[in-house]
């Protein structure tokens, strides 16, 4: 486990999950690379050793996968819109 820089530790303390002692975050390195799903313990130590702690430029909460319910609602609205469009075309007759 590697200790993160103090500025990053302070940012982690303000993020959701800090109260539990274990956070899963995305780490942005100084060269722009993103290291996803890094586990941080007590806002201090990172369990993922795929990067040098001194190269960490930023951290952000790990992204959540898109909601399946949201996608289903979107598809239903699209299908409903297509149905309404064809219904209106069927009802209107040229004079």
């Amino acid at each position: 486990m590697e200790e993160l820089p103090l500025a990053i530790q302070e940012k982690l303390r303000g993020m959701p999950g800090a109260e539990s002692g274990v956070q899963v975050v995305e780490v942005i390195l100084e060269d722009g690379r993103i290291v996803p799903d890094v586990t941080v313990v007590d806002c201090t130590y990172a369990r993922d050793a795929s990067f040098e702690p001194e190269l960490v430029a930023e951290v952000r909460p790990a992204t959540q996968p898109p909601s399946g319910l949201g996608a289903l609602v979107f598809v239903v609205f699209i299908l409903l819109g297509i149905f309404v469009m064809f219904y209106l075309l069927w009802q209107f007759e040229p004079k």
Side-chain angles (χ1 to χ4, degrees):
M1 293 198 312
E2 299 289 331
E3 187 171 8
L4 293 168
L6 188 57
I8 298 301
Q9 292 179 31
E10 290 300 318
K11 174 151 182 151
L12 285 166
R13 285 188 181 94
M15 294 175 75
E19 59 278 353
S20 70
V22 176
Q23 295 167 283
V24 178
V25 296
E26 289 182 341
V27 173
I28 304 168
L29 303 179
E30 290 177 350
D31 61 4
R33 291 180 295 149
I34 296 175
V35 183
D37 300 329
V38 175
T39 302
V40 178
V41 181
D42 295 328
C43 302
T44 306
Y45 297 99
R47 287 188 179 157
D48 188 345
S50 63
F51 59 92
E52 296 295 324
E54 61 271 5
L55 297 179
V56 177
E58 184 69 40
V59 293
R60 63 183 178 202
T63 55
Q64 299 296 325
S67 168
L69 180 61
L72 181 62
V73 169
F74 178 73
V75 169
V76 167
F77 276 122
I78 294 293
L79 293 175
L80 185 61
I82 292 171
F83 174 74
V84 168
M85 181 185 67
F86 279 110
Y87 176 76
L88 291 174
L89 286 172
W90 181 60
Q91 290 296 319
F92 295 133
E93 295 180 8
K95 293 183 181 182

